[in-house]
Amino acid sequence: MKKHLLTTASALTLLATQASANDITLVQSGTGNRATTTQFDGKEGLVLIDQTGDRSFVNVTQEDDSEGDGDEKTYLNKVDIDQYGVARAVVDQIAAGVGSSNTANIEQFSNADEIESPEDVTEDAVPFHVDAEVTQTSAGSTAVIKQGAAGANVAVASASVNQTGLYNEAYVYQYGESSSASVTQGGGNNTSTINQELLGQGSVANVTQNGNGATSTITQNGSGNLATVIQNDDNSISTVSQFGSSGEVTVTQTGANESTVTQESTTGDSVKATVNQTGSGNDSIIVQGKALNGSTTTKGTVTVTQSGSDGKSEVTQWRENSSTVTLMQSGTGNISEIEQEDSNSEATVTQSGTNGKSIINQTSITDDTGRLGVFKNEATVKTSGINTLSTINQNGFNSIANVTQSNGGLIGELEGIKSTIKQSGMVTATVFQTSFGGRNVVEIDQSNLNIGVGRSVAVVYQTEGSDHHAGVYQRGEGHVAHIYQTGEWNNATISQIKNAAYASVTQSGTRNRAKVFQ
């Protein structure tokens, strides 16, 4: 059955070339609206257009391209457009292949009633206050674009969807002013959802997916946010949530990786996060934003690069002040957990090899009234080899910890080397464990009860052999400790409780044991 219902109050151009079972329903009210529809060799093609307001523009083209002939052709194109205000919608669909079906749904609600040049309304007229474009050239694709809603109209919102793969789905919802979104999908069975909420003013979201079975979800509910997601392999998952203002997220994934980024900044400088995962099964979780009394976030920057398989990274930065996390993992099974909740914190972790694990926790001192002051925390961990483990927990003034573990373990039953550092106060710790050793352990605990008074410095070098144990425990002010060990099965312990002190232990050979208490 064919149905034609045409109602116009001004200039109207309608061109329809139809075949069997096409339906067109067009309702226009207002002035200066324009609609153009073109259907070639269609079957079951359906176009529904409803324009309310002035000077809106619609261009629909449905062309059919199939390898079949006669009754073997199946074209199920569908376009459903509803416009209110000054809006432009352009849809170009080609339902290619037997059993193909393209679906496009566009709803536009603009809060403006005119454009700059109302006497010359064409597809090139600028600015249209809401603009939507859909291009679909393969079977089974679905595109839904909704810009504004009754009672919550938008201005200067633009969205585009370009899908060339099979059975891809794209959903774009724009309710914020001056928002922009684009989705490009090849491959097959990909799903992209972009939500730009009412508070997402001036936000930009771009998604590109060229694999199979990839999923991308972007939610923006703050002003001036930017999100870019690129997924080029199968079964990748990306979830980006941006709240507040001036957040920036870039996610690039190749392989069956999963990434979750949440930014909850409110004011201040931009908050950035970059994730680059290559290989299979990598997992990255990044949270930046408010915690503990909901203070603001500034300059939180995260860069994560994971290459290989099954690498896992978790980064949490609460209420940052110039915080920076740079994490690079290469190999298989690397795990890194970083949490920073204070001012001027910086953490850098580089892991290469297999099963390296690094946990850095730089936190503020908190009580019922909120956080107490901490400053300039810095932790750098570089591990290379097999089964290395480094744990750093810093809470205090001007803390710096540097750990380098190279050739981190022996293959076989021997475990990798280990380093644990816990610091509080004005302290510095440096640990080097190099050469091809296993089961080396370093424990440095500098507990300063007088926060901000005096300083403690501990340096440990274990450069050769295996099964070394070095422990430094300092509390008070002005302590310095050095431990140098080579060989095998050496054990050194230094414990300095309070007041000015200095201790140094150097051991080489086998099964030496030294203890110093002051």
Side-chain angles (χ1 to χ4, degrees):
M1 169 184 281
K2 299 180 181 179
K3 296 184 294 183
H4 304 275
L5 174 59
L6 307 179
T7 303
T8 180
S10 63
L12 169 65
T13 301
L14 175 62
L15 172 61
T17 303
Q18 300 173 321
S20 175
N22 288 332
D23 287 353
I24 295 178
T25 301
L26 174 62
V27 178
Q28 288 182 321
S29 61
T31 62
N33 294 314
R34 177 182 174 183
T36 300
T37 67
T38 303
Q39 292 181 330
F40 293 105
D41 195 21
K43 185 177 181 182
E44 300 295 340
L46 174 64
V47 177
L48 300 175
I49 300 174
D50 185 356
Q51 291 178 327
T52 301
D54 300 332
R55 303 179 182 90
S56 292
F57 177 85
V58 175
N59 184 354
V60 178
T61 301
Q62 291 182 323
E63 297 181 359
D64 303 318
D65 185 8
S66 175
E67 296 177 356
D69 294 325
D71 294 337
E72 295 181 5
K73 296 182 179 181
T74 302
Y75 308 138
L76 300 175
N77 293 318
K78 179 181 178 181
V79 177
D80 185 358
I81 297 174
D82 191 355
Q83 291 180 323
Y84 177 84
V86 181
R88 183 181 82 128
V90 177
V91 178
D92 188 359
Q93 296 188 139
I94 299 176
V98 177
S100 60
S101 176
N102 295 320
T103 300
N105 177 271
I106 297 176
E107 294 184 7
Q108 296 173 308
F109 295 86
S110 173
N111 61 3
D113 56 4
E114 66 179 6
I115 61 178
E116 292 182 355
S117 302
E119 67 278 3
D120 185 17
V121 180
T122 67
E123 62 270 24
D124 297 325
V126 177
F128 283 97
H129 288 268
V130 289
D131 196 332
E133 295 186 11
V134 175
T135 301
Q136 299 184 126
T137 60
S138 59
S141 298
T142 299
V144 176
I145 297 176
K146 294 186 178 181
Q147 297 171 314
N153 303 329
V154 298
V156 198
S158 64
S160 65
V161 174
N162 189 333
Q163 299 188 128
T164 59
L166 300 175
Y167 304 103
N168 292 317
E169 298 181 8
Y171 304 91
V172 179
Y173 306 97
Q174 295 178 312
Y175 305 110
E177 304 290 330
S178 302
S179 56
S180 175
S182 68
V183 177
T184 301
Q185 296 190 134
N189 295 301
N190 298 311
T191 302
S192 175
T193 303
I194 297 176
N195 296 290
Q196 293 175 322
E197 302 294 342
L198 186 62
L199 298 180
Q201 301 177 0
S203 295
V204 178
N206 300 311
V207 176
T208 301
Q209 298 186 138
N210 291 317
N212 296 305
T215 302
S216 174
T217 303
I218 297 176
T219 301
Q220 295 174 320
N221 195 18
S223 62
N225 290 311
L226 172 62
T228 302
V229 175
I230 300 174
Q231 300 188 127
N232 292 321
D233 212 329
D234 299 344
N235 301 318
S236 295
I237 300 175
S238 175
T239 302
V240 177
S241 300
Q242 293 177 311
F243 305 94
S245 61
S246 302
E248 182 176 344
V249 176
T250 301
V251 177
T252 302
Q253 297 190 136
T254 301
N257 300 312
E258 182 174 355
S259 174
T260 302
V261 179
T262 302
Q263 294 178 328
E264 298 187 20
S265 63
T266 55
T267 60
D269 295 330
S270 62
V271 180
K272 295 182 180 180
T274 302
V275 178
N276 188 343
Q277 295 180 325
T278 301
S280 298
N282 292 314
D283 190 356
S284 175
I285 300 175
I286 297 174
V287 178
Q288 295 185 113
K290 297 181 294 183
L292 188 61
N293 301 334
S295 184
T296 61
T297 303
T298 58
K299 292 183 179 179
T301 301
V302 177
T303 300
V304 177
T305 300
Q306 294 179 325
S307 178
S309 299
D310 301 326
K312 182 179 180 181
S313 173
E314 294 186 6
V315 177
T316 302
Q317 291 182 330
W318 298 110
R319 303 181 310 143
E320 309 91 55
N321 184 3
S322 302
S323 295
T324 299
V325 174
T326 301
L327 172 65
M328 300 177 64
Q329 293 182 326
S330 178
T332 302
N334 294 315
I335 297 175
S336 177
E337 298 180 1
I338 297 175
E339 180 179 354
Q340 294 179 323
E341 192 192 342
D342 244 316
S343 61
N344 299 325
S345 297
E346 181 177 355
T348 300
V349 177
T350 300
Q351 294 181 331
S352 178
T354 303
N355 297 327
K357 182 177 181 180
S358 175
I359 299 175
I360 296 177
N361 188 355
Q362 295 177 331
T363 63
S364 63
I365 302 172
T366 60
D367 58 12
D368 294 337
T369 61
R371 66 172 181 172
L372 301 179
V374 293
F375 303 95
K376 295 182 179 179
N377 293 318
E378 180 180 357
T380 301
V381 177
K382 296 180 180 180
T383 62
S384 177
I386 300 173
N387 296 326
T388 62
L389 174 64
S390 175
T391 301
I392 296 176
N393 186 356
Q394 293 180 330
N395 196 341
F397 288 70
N398 298 326
S399 297
I400 297 175
N402 296 316
V403 176
T404 300
Q405 294 177 322
S406 298
N407 298 323
L410 297 176
I411 300 174
E413 296 180 356
L414 295 178
E415 296 179 355
I417 57 181
K418 176 182 179 181
S419 174
T420 300
I421 297 176
K422 180 180 179 180
Q423 293 181 321
S424 177
M426 300 179 67
V427 298
T428 299
T430 300
V431 176
F432 295 149
Q433 290 183 333
T434 60
S435 186
F436 203 77
R439 291 197 300 262
N440 291 323
V441 178
V442 175
E443 296 179 359
I444 297 176
D445 184 357
Q446 295 176 330
S447 298
N448 195 332
L449 298 181
N450 299 320
I451 302 299
V453 178
R455 69 185 182 92
S456 297
V457 177
V459 177
V460 177
Y461 299 132
Q462 293 176 324
T463 59
E464 293 182 6
S466 61
D467 298 288
H468 294 307
H469 184 276
V472 176
Y473 311 96
Q474 295 178 332
R475 182 179 61 181
E477 42 180 79
H479 297 305
V480 177
H482 300 277
I483 297 177
Y484 307 96
Q485 294 188 135
T486 61
E488 293 182 355
W489 298 98
N490 292 316
N491 193 323
T493 300
I494 296 176
S495 177
Q496 296 173 329
I497 304 300
K498 199 172 183 181
N499 296 326
Y502 169 84
S504 178
V505 175
T506 301
Q507 295 186 138
S508 64
T510 303
R511 296 185 183 277
N512 294 312
R513 186 181 183 89
K515 291 185 177 181
V516 177
F517 300 94
Q518 291 180 333

